[in-house]
Amino acid sequence: SQKIEQNSEALNIQEGKTATLTCNYTNYSPAYLQWYRQDPGRGPVFLLLIRENEKEKRKERLKVTFDTTLKQSLFHITASQPADSATYLCALAVNSGYALNFGKGTSLLVTP
Amino acid sequence: EPEVTQTPSHQVTQMGQEVILRCVPISNHLYFYWYRQILGQKVEFLVSFYNNEISEKSEIFDDQFSVERPDGSNFTLKIRSTKLEDSAMYFCASSPAGLDTGELFFGEGSRLTVL
């Protein structure tokens, strides 16, 4: 069966450090992968999309890598801030391409 | 900035009752979705809708669920006979084009509590 696995344990880091979150998947052949942010009680918010032919994508302090051989994506937040505290979700398309499946997410806490 | 709006924000219902959750997607978007999130669990796909028909549905989306786009602006999710396990946050989402070209825009959710 298709699985999207993200670190289930919360990640606690100090302000200013780089946070690295991992997304591993099985039984997907994704042409792209998306990352979202979710705050408690709110809907997910899109952050980045990376395609299979892109090894790395950046947006301001965010960086995503995508290794289709390892079946893994890494999500980095550099110079982290307390406002970055949230749950970060990895998402892959279902076979038809008409929907995204989400991982359970990794909770990030950035402390001053 | 355009946004997806959902009503009600919170609904409490008795088991066995019918519930309709309403969504107004972003106006020029073509693809519409419903997701649910049981407390503490992951965001789960229910159904996607394009060109006035269901394009994909998950195993969760059984016969008790239905979706409708009754006019040019609303997109509804109906649960015919609610069960305790239907208690969850239900998110509507829309996208302007296929998912390979961009993102899902989510609403703030409708919290459903079934007693």
Side-chain angles (χ1 to χ4, degrees), chain B residues 12-46:
Chain B
V12 180
T13 190
Q14 294 291 324
M15 190 170 55
Q17 295 297 304
E18 176 182 283
V19 162
I20 297 176
L21 305 178
R22 292 183 168 79
C23 169
V24 179
I26 296 173
S27 63
N28 62 343
H29 285 193
L30 301 177
Y31 297 77
F32 314 111
Y33 311 83
W34 282 101
Y35 284 80
R36 79 173 186 190
Q37 187 172 30
I38 296 170
L39 189 64
Q41 298 189 24
K42 68 177 182 179
V43 176
E44 298 177 289
F45 168 68
L46 294 177

PDB file of all heavy atoms in Angstrom, chain B residues 12-46:
ATOM      1  N   VAL B  12     -22.812  20.757  15.727  1.00  0.00           N
ATOM      2  CA  VAL B  12     -23.037  19.631  16.632  1.00  0.00           C
ATOM      3  C   VAL B  12     -24.326  18.952  16.187  1.00  0.00           C
ATOM      4  O   VAL B  12     -25.342  19.627  15.971  1.00  0.00           O
ATOM      5  CB  VAL B  12     -23.159  20.094  18.092  1.00  0.00           C
ATOM      6  CG1 VAL B  12     -23.381  18.891  19.007  1.00  0.00           C
ATOM      7  CG2 VAL B  12     -21.916  20.866  18.521  1.00  0.00           C
ATOM      8  N   THR B  13     -24.297  17.643  16.038  1.00  0.00           N
ATOM      9  CA  THR B  13     -25.474  16.923  15.569  1.00  0.00           C
ATOM     10  C   THR B  13     -25.612  15.608  16.316  1.00  0.00           C
ATOM     11  O   THR B  13     -24.666  15.116  16.945  1.00  0.00           O
ATOM     12  CB  THR B  13     -25.369  16.673  14.055  1.00  0.00           C
ATOM     13  OG1 THR B  13     -26.619  16.178  13.571  1.00  0.00           O
ATOM     14  CG2 THR B  13     -24.284  15.649  13.741  1.00  0.00           C
ATOM     15  N   GLN B  14     -26.807  15.070  16.259  1.00  0.00           N
ATOM     16  CA  GLN B  14     -27.054  13.773  16.866  1.00  0.00           C
ATOM     17  C   GLN B  14     -26.750  12.672  15.862  1.00  0.00           C
ATOM     18  O   GLN B  14     -26.973  12.830  14.649  1.00  0.00           O
ATOM     19  CB  GLN B  14     -28.529  13.669  17.299  1.00  0.00           C
ATOM     20  CG  GLN B  14     -28.900  14.631  18.419  1.00  0.00           C
ATOM     21  CD  GLN B  14     -28.252  14.262  19.737  1.00  0.00           C
ATOM     22  OE1 GLN B  14     -28.095  13.089  20.063  1.00  0.00           O
ATOM     23  NE2 GLN B  14     -27.850  15.274  20.500  1.00  0.00           N
ATOM     24  N   MET B  15     -26.262  11.566  16.357  1.00  0.00           N
ATOM     25  CA  MET B  15     -25.997  10.404  15.511  1.00  0.00           C
ATOM     26  C   MET B  15     -27.244  10.051  14.689  1.00  0.00           C
ATOM     27  O   MET B  15     -28.365  10.072  15.216  1.00  0.00           O
ATOM     28  CB  MET B  15     -25.612   9.228  16.410  1.00  0.00           C
ATOM     29  CG  MET B  15     -25.091   8.020  15.709  1.00  0.00           C
ATOM     30  SD  MET B  15     -24.400   6.823  16.875  1.00  0.00           S
ATOM     31  CE  MET B  15     -25.762   6.572  17.992  1.00  0.00           C
ATOM     32  N   GLY B  16     -27.036   9.776  13.426  1.00  0.00           N
ATOM     33  CA  GLY B  16     -28.146   9.419  12.554  1.00  0.00           C
ATOM     34  C   GLY B  16     -28.734  10.594  11.782  1.00  0.00           C
ATOM     35  O   GLY B  16     -29.504  10.387  10.838  1.00  0.00           O
ATOM     36  N   GLN B  17     -28.387  11.792  12.168  1.00  0.00           N
ATOM     37  CA  GLN B  17     -28.902  12.976  11.478  1.00  0.00           C
ATOM     38  C   GLN B  17     -28.090  13.266  10.221  1.00  0.00           C
ATOM     39  O   GLN B  17     -26.928  12.874  10.090  1.00  0.00           O
ATOM     40  CB  GLN B  17     -28.856  14.189  12.402  1.00  0.00           C
ATOM     41  CG  GLN B  17     -29.779  14.086  13.608  1.00  0.00           C
ATOM     42  CD  GLN B  17     -31.230  14.015  13.189  1.00  0.00           C
ATOM     43  OE1 GLN B  17     -31.739  14.885  12.473  1.00  0.00           O
ATOM     44  NE2 GLN B  17     -31.920  12.973  13.626  1.00  0.00           N
ATOM     45  N   GLU B  18     -28.718  13.979   9.298  1.00  0.00           N
ATOM     46  CA  GLU B  18     -28.052  14.407   8.070  1.00  0.00           C
ATOM     47  C   GLU B  18     -27.359  15.748   8.316  1.00  0.00           C
ATOM     48  O   GLU B  18     -27.885  16.621   9.016  1.00  0.00           O
ATOM     49  CB  GLU B  18     -29.078  14.554   6.955  1.00  0.00           C
ATOM     50  CG  GLU B  18     -28.499  15.084   5.639  1.00  0.00           C
ATOM     51  CD  GLU B  18     -29.584  15.259   4.595  1.00  0.00           C
ATOM     52  OE1 GLU B  18     -30.002  14.238   4.017  1.00  0.00           O
ATOM     53  OE2 GLU B  18     -29.980  16.425   4.345  1.00  0.00           O
ATOM     54  N   VAL B  19     -26.205  15.895   7.716  1.00  0.00           N
ATOM     55  CA  VAL B  19     -25.444  17.136   7.851  1.00  0.00           C
ATOM     56  C   VAL B  19     -25.015  17.599   6.469  1.00  0.00           C
ATOM     57  O   VAL B  19     -24.621  16.781   5.622  1.00  0.00           O
ATOM     58  CB  VAL B  19     -24.199  16.898   8.739  1.00  0.00           C
ATOM     59  CG1 VAL B  19     -23.175  17.988   8.560  1.00  0.00           C
ATOM     60  CG2 VAL B  19     -24.587  16.786  10.203  1.00  0.00           C
ATOM     61  N   ILE B  20     -25.091  18.881   6.234  1.00  0.00           N
ATOM     62  CA  ILE B  20     -24.572  19.468   4.993  1.00  0.00           C
ATOM     63  C   ILE B  20     -23.537  20.521   5.370  1.00  0.00           C
ATOM     64  O   ILE B  20     -23.827  21.456   6.112  1.00  0.00           O
ATOM     65  CB  ILE B  20     -25.679  20.103   4.142  1.00  0.00           C
ATOM     66  CG1 ILE B  20     -26.673  19.039   3.690  1.00  0.00           C
ATOM     67  CG2 ILE B  20     -25.074  20.800   2.919  1.00  0.00           C
ATOM     68  CD1 ILE B  20     -27.856  19.582   2.919  1.00  0.00           C
ATOM     69  N   LEU B  21     -22.350  20.332   4.842  1.00  0.00           N
ATOM     70  CA  LEU B  21     -21.264  21.298   5.034  1.00  0.00           C
ATOM     71  C   LEU B  21     -21.096  22.068   3.735  1.00  0.00           C
ATOM     72  O   LEU B  21     -21.074  21.473   2.656  1.00  0.00           O
ATOM     73  CB  LEU B  21     -19.969  20.586   5.423  1.00  0.00           C
ATOM     74  CG  LEU B  21     -20.069  19.677   6.661  1.00  0.00           C
ATOM     75  CD1 LEU B  21     -18.725  18.988   6.913  1.00  0.00           C
ATOM     76  CD2 LEU B  21     -20.522  20.452   7.875  1.00  0.00           C
ATOM     77  N   ARG B  22     -20.950  23.366   3.867  1.00  0.00           N
ATOM     78  CA  ARG B  22     -20.927  24.222   2.683  1.00  0.00           C
ATOM     79  C   ARG B  22     -19.578  24.892   2.493  1.00  0.00           C
ATOM     80  O   ARG B  22     -18.894  25.240   3.454  1.00  0.00           O
ATOM     81  CB  ARG B  22     -22.024  25.273   2.779  1.00  0.00           C
ATOM     82  CG  ARG B  22     -23.426  24.673   2.675  1.00  0.00           C
ATOM     83  CD  ARG B  22     -24.514  25.706   2.700  1.00  0.00           C
ATOM     84  NE  ARG B  22     -25.793  25.137   2.314  1.00  0.00           N
ATOM     85  CZ  ARG B  22     -26.583  24.418   3.101  1.00  0.00           C
ATOM     86  NH1 ARG B  22     -26.228  24.188   4.351  1.00  0.00           N
ATOM     87  NH2 ARG B  22     -27.724  23.931   2.652  1.00  0.00           N
ATOM     88  N   CYS B  23     -19.255  25.100   1.236  1.00  0.00           N
ATOM     89  CA  CYS B  23     -17.971  25.682   0.875  1.00  0.00           C
ATOM     90  C   CYS B  23     -18.187  26.603  -0.318  1.00  0.00           C
ATOM     91  O   CYS B  23     -18.973  26.300  -1.220  1.00  0.00           O
ATOM     92  CB  CYS B  23     -16.996  24.550   0.509  1.00  0.00           C
ATOM     93  SG  CYS B  23     -15.452  25.066  -0.250  1.00  0.00           S
ATOM     94  N   VAL B  24     -17.489  27.732  -0.292  1.00  0.00           N
ATOM     95  CA  VAL B  24     -17.426  28.586  -1.471  1.00  0.00           C
ATOM     96  C   VAL B  24     -15.971  28.609  -1.909  1.00  0.00           C
ATOM     97  O   VAL B  24     -15.124  29.251  -1.273  1.00  0.00           O
ATOM     98  CB  VAL B  24     -17.926  30.008  -1.184  1.00  0.00           C
ATOM     99  CG1 VAL B  24     -17.821  30.868  -2.449  1.00  0.00           C
ATOM    100  CG2 VAL B  24     -19.370  29.986  -0.687  1.00  0.00           C
ATOM    101  N   PRO B  25     -15.648  27.876  -2.974  1.00  0.00           N
ATOM    102  CA  PRO B  25     -14.256  27.875  -3.450  1.00  0.00           C
ATOM    103  C   PRO B  25     -13.872  29.232  -4.036  1.00  0.00           C
ATOM    104  O   PRO B  25     -14.723  30.091  -4.258  1.00  0.00           O
ATOM    105  CB  PRO B  25     -14.272  26.801  -4.542  1.00  0.00           C
ATOM    106  CG  PRO B  25     -15.518  26.007  -4.306  1.00  0.00           C
ATOM    107  CD  PRO B  25     -16.492  26.969  -3.726  1.00  0.00           C
ATOM    108  N   ILE B  26     -12.613  29.394  -4.316  1.00  0.00           N
ATOM    109  CA  ILE B  26     -12.130  30.609  -4.969  1.00  0.00           C
ATOM    110  C   ILE B  26     -12.724  30.652  -6.371  1.00  0.00           C
ATOM    111  O   ILE B  26     -12.770  29.628  -7.077  1.00  0.00           O
ATOM    112  CB  ILE B  26     -10.594  30.643  -4.982  1.00  0.00           C
ATOM    113  CG1 ILE B  26     -10.092  30.721  -3.538  1.00  0.00           C
ATOM    114  CG2 ILE B  26     -10.062  31.801  -5.807  1.00  0.00           C
ATOM    115  CD1 ILE B  26      -8.601  30.586  -3.360  1.00  0.00           C
ATOM    116  N   SER B  27     -13.149  31.834  -6.810  1.00  0.00           N
ATOM    117  CA  SER B  27     -14.083  31.947  -7.927  1.00  0.00           C
ATOM    118  C   SER B  27     -13.562  31.410  -9.250  1.00  0.00           C
ATOM    119  O   SER B  27     -14.325  30.855 -10.024  1.00  0.00           O
ATOM    120  CB  SER B  27     -14.513  33.403  -8.105  1.00  0.00           C
ATOM    121  OG  SER B  27     -13.394  34.197  -8.438  1.00  0.00           O
ATOM    122  N   ASN B  28     -12.313  31.535  -9.573  1.00  0.00           N
ATOM    123  CA  ASN B  28     -11.851  31.062 -10.877  1.00  0.00           C
ATOM    124  C   ASN B  28     -11.224  29.672 -10.811  1.00  0.00           C
ATOM    125  O   ASN B  28     -10.581  29.224 -11.766  1.00  0.00           O
ATOM    126  CB  ASN B  28     -10.865  32.065 -11.479  1.00  0.00           C
ATOM    127  CG  ASN B  28      -9.634  32.228 -10.621  1.00  0.00           C
ATOM    128  OD1 ASN B  28      -9.625  31.854  -9.454  1.00  0.00           O
ATOM    129  ND2 ASN B  28      -8.580  32.782 -11.196  1.00  0.00           N
ATOM    130  N   HIS B  29     -11.404  28.990  -9.695  1.00  0.00           N
ATOM    131  CA  HIS B  29     -10.839  27.649  -9.556  1.00  0.00           C
ATOM    132  C   HIS B  29     -11.752  26.615 -10.195  1.00  0.00           C
ATOM    133  O   HIS B  29     -12.981  26.774 -10.246  1.00  0.00           O
ATOM    134  CB  HIS B  29     -10.593  27.327  -8.086  1.00  0.00           C
ATOM    135  CG  HIS B  29      -9.411  28.040  -7.536  1.00  0.00           C
ATOM    136  ND1 HIS B  29      -8.845  27.713  -6.319  1.00  0.00           N
ATOM    137  CD2 HIS B  29      -8.644  29.054  -8.034  1.00  0.00           C
ATOM    138  CE1 HIS B  29      -7.807  28.503  -6.090  1.00  0.00           C
ATOM    139  NE2 HIS B  29      -7.675  29.328  -7.113  1.00  0.00           N
ATOM    140  N   LEU B  30     -11.129  25.538 -10.672  1.00  0.00           N
ATOM    141  CA  LEU B  30     -11.863  24.533 -11.433  1.00  0.00           C
ATOM    142  C   LEU B  30     -11.962  23.187 -10.720  1.00  0.00           C
ATOM    143  O   LEU B  30     -12.796  22.361 -11.082  1.00  0.00           O
ATOM    144  CB  LEU B  30     -11.181  24.312 -12.786  1.00  0.00           C
ATOM    145  CG  LEU B  30     -11.066  25.537 -13.691  1.00  0.00           C
ATOM    146  CD1 LEU B  30     -10.293  25.170 -14.949  1.00  0.00           C
ATOM    147  CD2 LEU B  30     -12.444  26.083 -14.054  1.00  0.00           C
ATOM    148  N   TYR B  31     -11.085  22.965  -9.741  1.00  0.00           N
ATOM    149  CA  TYR B  31     -11.029  21.678  -9.063  1.00  0.00           C
ATOM    150  C   TYR B  31     -11.394  21.891  -7.593  1.00  0.00           C
ATOM    151  O   TYR B  31     -10.915  22.838  -6.964  1.00  0.00           O
ATOM    152  CB  TYR B  31      -9.614  21.079  -9.147  1.00  0.00           C
ATOM    153  CG  TYR B  31      -9.144  20.779 -10.545  1.00  0.00           C
ATOM    154  CD1 TYR B  31      -8.698  21.798 -11.380  1.00  0.00           C
ATOM    155  CD2 TYR B  31      -9.157  19.480 -11.028  1.00  0.00           C
ATOM    156  CE1 TYR B  31      -8.269  21.527 -12.665  1.00  0.00           C
ATOM    157  CE2 TYR B  31      -8.721  19.195 -12.309  1.00  0.00           C
ATOM    158  CZ  TYR B  31      -8.282  20.226 -13.124  1.00  0.00           C
ATOM    159  OH  TYR B  31      -7.861  19.956 -14.395  1.00  0.00           O
ATOM    160  N   PHE B  32     -12.194  20.978  -7.062  1.00  0.00           N
ATOM    161  CA  PHE B  32     -12.691  21.141  -5.694  1.00  0.00           C
ATOM    162  C   PHE B  32     -12.510  19.836  -4.944  1.00  0.00           C
ATOM    163  O   PHE B  32     -12.588  18.742  -5.525  1.00  0.00           O
ATOM    164  CB  PHE B  32     -14.171  21.548  -5.722  1.00  0.00           C
ATOM    165  CG  PHE B  32     -14.463  22.641  -6.713  1.00  0.00           C
ATOM    166  CD1 PHE B  32     -15.208  22.387  -7.849  1.00  0.00           C
ATOM    167  CD2 PHE B  32     -13.955  23.913  -6.520  1.00  0.00           C
ATOM    168  CE1 PHE B  32     -15.458  23.389  -8.781  1.00  0.00           C
ATOM    169  CE2 PHE B  32     -14.198  24.918  -7.444  1.00  0.00           C
ATOM    170  CZ  PHE B  32     -14.939  24.652  -8.580  1.00  0.00           C
ATOM    171  N   TYR B  33     -12.276  19.978  -3.648  1.00  0.00           N
ATOM    172  CA  TYR B  33     -11.907  18.815  -2.839  1.00  0.00           C
ATOM    173  C   TYR B  33     -12.542  18.918  -1.459  1.00  0.00           C
ATOM    174  O   TYR B  33     -12.761  20.013  -0.938  1.00  0.00           O
ATOM    175  CB  TYR B  33     -10.382  18.766  -2.637  1.00  0.00           C
ATOM    176  CG  TYR B  33      -9.572  18.928  -3.887  1.00  0.00           C
ATOM    177  CD1 TYR B  33      -9.294  20.191  -4.400  1.00  0.00           C
ATOM    178  CD2 TYR B  33      -9.070  17.822  -4.567  1.00  0.00           C
ATOM    179  CE1 TYR B  33      -8.549  20.351  -5.551  1.00  0.00           C
ATOM    180  CE2 TYR B  33      -8.314  17.974  -5.714  1.00  0.00           C
ATOM    181  CZ  TYR B  33      -8.059  19.241  -6.207  1.00  0.00           C
ATOM    182  OH  TYR B  33      -7.314  19.402  -7.346  1.00  0.00           O
ATOM    183  N   TRP B  34     -12.761  17.746  -0.870  1.00  0.00           N
ATOM    184  CA  TRP B  34     -13.064  17.666   0.557  1.00  0.00           C
ATOM    185  C   TRP B  34     -12.051  16.749   1.226  1.00  0.00           C
ATOM    186  O   TRP B  34     -11.737  15.665   0.695  1.00  0.00           O
ATOM    187  CB  TRP B  34     -14.474  17.138   0.811  1.00  0.00           C
ATOM    188  CG  TRP B  34     -15.546  18.152   0.591  1.00  0.00           C
ATOM    189  CD1 TRP B  34     -16.356  18.267  -0.493  1.00  0.00           C
ATOM    190  CD2 TRP B  34     -15.942  19.195   1.486  1.00  0.00           C
ATOM    191  NE1 TRP B  34     -17.224  19.321  -0.339  1.00  0.00           N
ATOM    192  CE2 TRP B  34     -16.994  19.905   0.867  1.00  0.00           C
ATOM    193  CE3 TRP B  34     -15.528  19.605   2.750  1.00  0.00           C
ATOM    194  CZ2 TRP B  34     -17.620  20.997   1.463  1.00  0.00           C
ATOM    195  CZ3 TRP B  34     -16.147  20.689   3.347  1.00  0.00           C
ATOM    196  CH2 TRP B  34     -17.183  21.375   2.705  1.00  0.00           C
ATOM    197  N   TYR B  35     -11.558  17.199   2.351  1.00  0.00           N
ATOM    198  CA  TYR B  35     -10.676  16.428   3.208  1.00  0.00           C
ATOM    199  C   TYR B  35     -11.272  16.425   4.617  1.00  0.00           C
ATOM    200  O   TYR B  35     -12.079  17.284   4.961  1.00  0.00           O
ATOM    201  CB  TYR B  35      -9.278  17.062   3.268  1.00  0.00           C
ATOM    202  CG  TYR B  35      -8.421  16.830   2.052  1.00  0.00           C
ATOM    203  CD1 TYR B  35      -8.580  17.596   0.898  1.00  0.00           C
ATOM    204  CD2 TYR B  35      -7.449  15.839   2.046  1.00  0.00           C
ATOM    205  CE1 TYR B  35      -7.785  17.386  -0.221  1.00  0.00           C
ATOM    206  CE2 TYR B  35      -6.648  15.613   0.937  1.00  0.00           C
ATOM    207  CZ  TYR B  35      -6.820  16.395  -0.194  1.00  0.00           C
ATOM    208  OH  TYR B  35      -6.037  16.171  -1.296  1.00  0.00           O
ATOM    209  N   ARG B  36     -10.841  15.464   5.411  1.00  0.00           N
ATOM    210  CA  ARG B  36     -11.224  15.497   6.813  1.00  0.00           C
ATOM    211  C   ARG B  36      -9.994  15.216   7.677  1.00  0.00           C
ATOM    212  O   ARG B  36      -9.016  14.610   7.230  1.00  0.00           O
ATOM    213  CB  ARG B  36     -12.322  14.488   7.138  1.00  0.00           C
ATOM    214  CG  ARG B  36     -11.828  13.071   7.300  1.00  0.00           C
ATOM    215  CD  ARG B  36     -12.905  12.141   7.789  1.00  0.00           C
ATOM    216  NE  ARG B  36     -12.339  10.816   8.064  1.00  0.00           N
ATOM    217  CZ  ARG B  36     -13.064   9.740   8.331  1.00  0.00           C
ATOM    218  NH1 ARG B  36     -14.397   9.830   8.379  1.00  0.00           N
ATOM    219  NH2 ARG B  36     -12.476   8.589   8.571  1.00  0.00           N
ATOM    220  N   GLN B  37     -10.066  15.691   8.915  1.00  0.00           N
ATOM    221  CA  GLN B  37      -8.975  15.454   9.864  1.00  0.00           C
ATOM    222  C   GLN B  37      -9.584  15.147  11.218  1.00  0.00           C
ATOM    223  O   GLN B  37     -10.148  16.036  11.879  1.00  0.00           O
ATOM    224  CB  GLN B  37      -8.047  16.661   9.942  1.00  0.00           C
ATOM    225  CG  GLN B  37      -6.803  16.412  10.770  1.00  0.00           C
ATOM    226  CD  GLN B  37      -5.799  17.548  10.668  1.00  0.00           C
ATOM    227  OE1 GLN B  37      -6.164  18.700  10.481  1.00  0.00           O
ATOM    228  NE2 GLN B  37      -4.513  17.234  10.769  1.00  0.00           N
ATOM    229  N   ILE B  38      -9.495  13.894  11.594  1.00  0.00           N
ATOM    230  CA  ILE B  38      -9.900  13.508  12.943  1.00  0.00           C
ATOM    231  C   ILE B  38      -8.842  14.041  13.899  1.00  0.00           C
ATOM    232  O   ILE B  38      -7.652  14.064  13.573  1.00  0.00           O
ATOM    233  CB  ILE B  38     -10.041  11.978  13.036  1.00  0.00           C
ATOM    234  CG1 ILE B  38     -11.173  11.516  12.110  1.00  0.00           C
ATOM    235  CG2 ILE B  38     -10.297  11.533  14.460  1.00  0.00           C
ATOM    236  CD1 ILE B  38     -11.256  10.020  11.924  1.00  0.00           C
ATOM    237  N   LEU B  39      -9.276  14.457  15.066  1.00  0.00           N
ATOM    238  CA  LEU B  39      -8.384  15.101  16.027  1.00  0.00           C
ATOM    239  C   LEU B  39      -7.118  14.279  16.268  1.00  0.00           C
ATOM    240  O   LEU B  39      -7.183  13.090  16.597  1.00  0.00           O
ATOM    241  CB  LEU B  39      -9.132  15.313  17.345  1.00  0.00           C
ATOM    242  CG  LEU B  39      -8.414  16.158  18.388  1.00  0.00           C
ATOM    243  CD1 LEU B  39      -8.221  17.577  17.881  1.00  0.00           C
ATOM    244  CD2 LEU B  39      -9.183  16.161  19.703  1.00  0.00           C
ATOM    245  N   GLY B  40      -5.975  14.921  16.052  1.00  0.00           N
ATOM    246  CA  GLY B  40      -4.696  14.262  16.302  1.00  0.00           C
ATOM    247  C   GLY B  40      -4.219  13.363  15.179  1.00  0.00           C
ATOM    248  O   GLY B  40      -3.151  12.748  15.293  1.00  0.00           O
ATOM    249  N   GLN B  41      -5.011  13.283  14.098  1.00  0.00           N
ATOM    250  CA  GLN B  41      -4.629  12.394  13.001  1.00  0.00           C
ATOM    251  C   GLN B  41      -4.312  13.204  11.742  1.00  0.00           C
ATOM    252  O   GLN B  41      -4.348  14.421  11.746  1.00  0.00           O
ATOM    253  CB  GLN B  41      -5.740  11.374  12.747  1.00  0.00           C
ATOM    254  CG  GLN B  41      -5.983  10.471  13.955  1.00  0.00           C
ATOM    255  CD  GLN B  41      -6.911   9.318  13.657  1.00  0.00           C
ATOM    256  OE1 GLN B  41      -7.047   8.906  12.506  1.00  0.00           O
ATOM    257  NE2 GLN B  41      -7.543   8.788  14.694  1.00  0.00           N
ATOM    258  N   LYS B  42      -4.004  12.492  10.682  1.00  0.00           N
ATOM    259  CA  LYS B  42      -3.576  13.183   9.472  1.00  0.00           C
ATOM    260  C   LYS B  42      -4.763  13.711   8.674  1.00  0.00           C
ATOM    261  O   LYS B  42      -5.910  13.318   8.888  1.00  0.00           O
ATOM    262  CB  LYS B  42      -2.737  12.239   8.604  1.00  0.00           C
ATOM    263  CG  LYS B  42      -3.497  11.092   8.003  1.00  0.00           C
ATOM    264  CD  LYS B  42      -2.575  10.267   7.105  1.00  0.00           C
ATOM    265  CE  LYS B  42      -3.330   9.137   6.450  1.00  0.00           C
ATOM    266  NZ  LYS B  42      -2.455   8.341   5.553  1.00  0.00           N
ATOM    267  N   VAL B  43      -4.461  14.609   7.769  1.00  0.00           N
ATOM    268  CA  VAL B  43      -5.453  15.127   6.836  1.00  0.00           C
ATOM    269  C   VAL B  43      -5.725  14.034   5.803  1.00  0.00           C
ATOM    270  O   VAL B  43      -4.810  13.578   5.104  1.00  0.00           O
ATOM    271  CB  VAL B  43      -4.924  16.406   6.152  1.00  0.00           C
ATOM    272  CG1 VAL B  43      -5.912  16.898   5.111  1.00  0.00           C
ATOM    273  CG2 VAL B  43      -4.644  17.489   7.183  1.00  0.00           C
ATOM    274  N   GLU B  44      -6.987  13.611   5.711  1.00  0.00           N
ATOM    275  CA  GLU B  44      -7.352  12.487   4.850  1.00  0.00           C
ATOM    276  C   GLU B  44      -8.205  12.959   3.674  1.00  0.00           C
ATOM    277  O   GLU B  44      -9.188  13.677   3.854  1.00  0.00           O
ATOM    278  CB  GLU B  44      -8.164  11.449   5.625  1.00  0.00           C
ATOM    279  CG  GLU B  44      -7.438  10.819   6.796  1.00  0.00           C
ATOM    280  CD  GLU B  44      -8.361   9.858   7.528  1.00  0.00           C
ATOM    281  OE1 GLU B  44      -9.303  10.335   8.193  1.00  0.00           O
ATOM    282  OE2 GLU B  44      -8.122   8.638   7.439  1.00  0.00           O
ATOM    283  N   PHE B  45      -7.856  12.504   2.510  1.00  0.00           N
ATOM    284  CA  PHE B  45      -8.605  12.828   1.302  1.00  0.00           C
ATOM    285  C   PHE B  45      -9.955  12.111   1.286  1.00  0.00           C
ATOM    286  O   PHE B  45     -10.037  10.920   1.588  1.00  0.00           O
ATOM    287  CB  PHE B  45      -7.787  12.423   0.078  1.00  0.00           C
ATOM    288  CG  PHE B  45      -8.549  12.437  -1.209  1.00  0.00           C
ATOM    289  CD1 PHE B  45      -8.995  13.629  -1.764  1.00  0.00           C
ATOM    290  CD2 PHE B  45      -8.826  11.253  -1.874  1.00  0.00           C
ATOM    291  CE1 PHE B  45      -9.700  13.636  -2.954  1.00  0.00           C
ATOM    292  CE2 PHE B  45      -9.527  11.257  -3.073  1.00  0.00           C
ATOM    293  CZ  PHE B  45      -9.969  12.449  -3.614  1.00  0.00           C
ATOM    294  N   LEU B  46     -10.992  12.834   0.929  1.00  0.00           N
ATOM    295  CA  LEU B  46     -12.322  12.233   0.760  1.00  0.00           C
ATOM    296  C   LEU B  46     -12.694  12.150  -0.724  1.00  0.00           C
ATOM    297  O   LEU B  46     -12.959  11.076  -1.250  1.00  0.00           O
ATOM    298  CB  LEU B  46     -13.385  13.049   1.494  1.00  0.00           C
ATOM    299  CG  LEU B  46     -13.311  13.087   3.012  1.00  0.00           C
ATOM    300  CD1 LEU B  46     -14.403  13.991   3.577  1.00  0.00           C
ATOM    301  CD2 LEU B  46     -13.431  11.694   3.596  1.00  0.00           C
TER     302      LEU B  46
END
